[in-house]
Amino acid sequence: MKYCTHCGKKLLSEAAVCLNCGCATQNSNSLALYKVTNFEAKSKLATWSKILGITSFFFGWFVFGILAVILAIFSKNQTNGKLCHSANIGLVCGIVSTILSLMIMFCIIEFLMCVQSFVGMIMSFVGEATEMINYLQSLIETF
């Protein structure tokens, strides 16, 4: 039984590529015959990156988006330095959702600051109106 020199998983004796990590096996001459076009090395990190990226995109949880980006980058170590399709999806969704979430948070903060200044104006107006009412009451009492 052969084992992958990169990830340590069991290999079939005629395998040219490890099905777990995508690394070439010692059958390098058979690798030339086995053109890897439809094969895609996937890692668990890439799968989790995809899941977190899509989740963050639809629910707007920017922490999941950041995690998706980080996991996609770390998954390159398990797939010969290239991002697989799942990692690409996680990376793109993570980046887009993080940017959108931050933009929405900044808009909410701006809105709250506007509300705060509006409430401050109203409180100032109420304070001035109260002073005016007190002044008018004192005028009425003097007559």
Side-chain angles (χ1 to χ4, degrees):
M1 181 61 68
K2 291 182 1 180
Y3 293 91
C4 177
T5 57
H6 186 260
C7 70
K9 296 285 183 177
K10 290 182 183 178
L11 297 172
L12 298 174
S13 59
E14 67 276 356
V17 176
C18 174
L19 295 177
N20 183 54
C21 69
C23 289
T25 64
Q26 294 175 353
N27 296 338
S28 58
N29 58 349
S30 63
L31 182 60
L33 298 174
Y34 183 77
K35 192 83 168 165
V36 184
T37 54
N38 293 329
F39 176 78
E40 181 176 314
K42 290 185 180 178
S43 71
K44 291 181 182 179
L45 292 177
T47 304
W48 277 107
S49 172
K50 180 180 176 181
I51 292 168
L52 291 173
I54 292 172
T55 303
S56 70
F57 186 77
F58 285 110
F59 293 108
W61 297 334
F62 79 98
V63 174
F64 281 8
I66 293 170
L67 286 174
V69 171
I70 292 169
L71 290 177
I73 292 169
F74 282 131
S75 74
K76 286 175 63 174
N77 295 337
Q78 295 179 346
T79 55
N80 286 337
K82 296 180 181 179
L83 288 178
C84 66
H85 186 67
S86 295
N88 279 330
I89 291 173
L91 182 70
V92 170
C93 288
I95 290 171
V96 169
S97 68
T98 301
I99 290 170
L100 289 176
S101 296
L102 290 174
M103 287 173 53
I104 290 170
M105 281 195 308
F106 287 131
C107 289
I108 289 171
I109 290 170
E110 277 296 316
F111 174 75
L112 291 176
M113 289 173 66
C114 289
V115 168
Q116 181 185 11
S117 65
F118 181 71
V119 168
M121 279 182 8
I122 291 175
M123 295 301 289
S124 173
F125 176 74
V126 168
E128 290 175 10
T130 304
E131 288 178 22
M132 184 178 266
I133 290 172
N134 289 338
Y135 176 71
L136 290 175
Q137 282 180 344
S138 68
L139 282 176
I140 292 172
E141 290 174 359
T142 57
F143 288 118

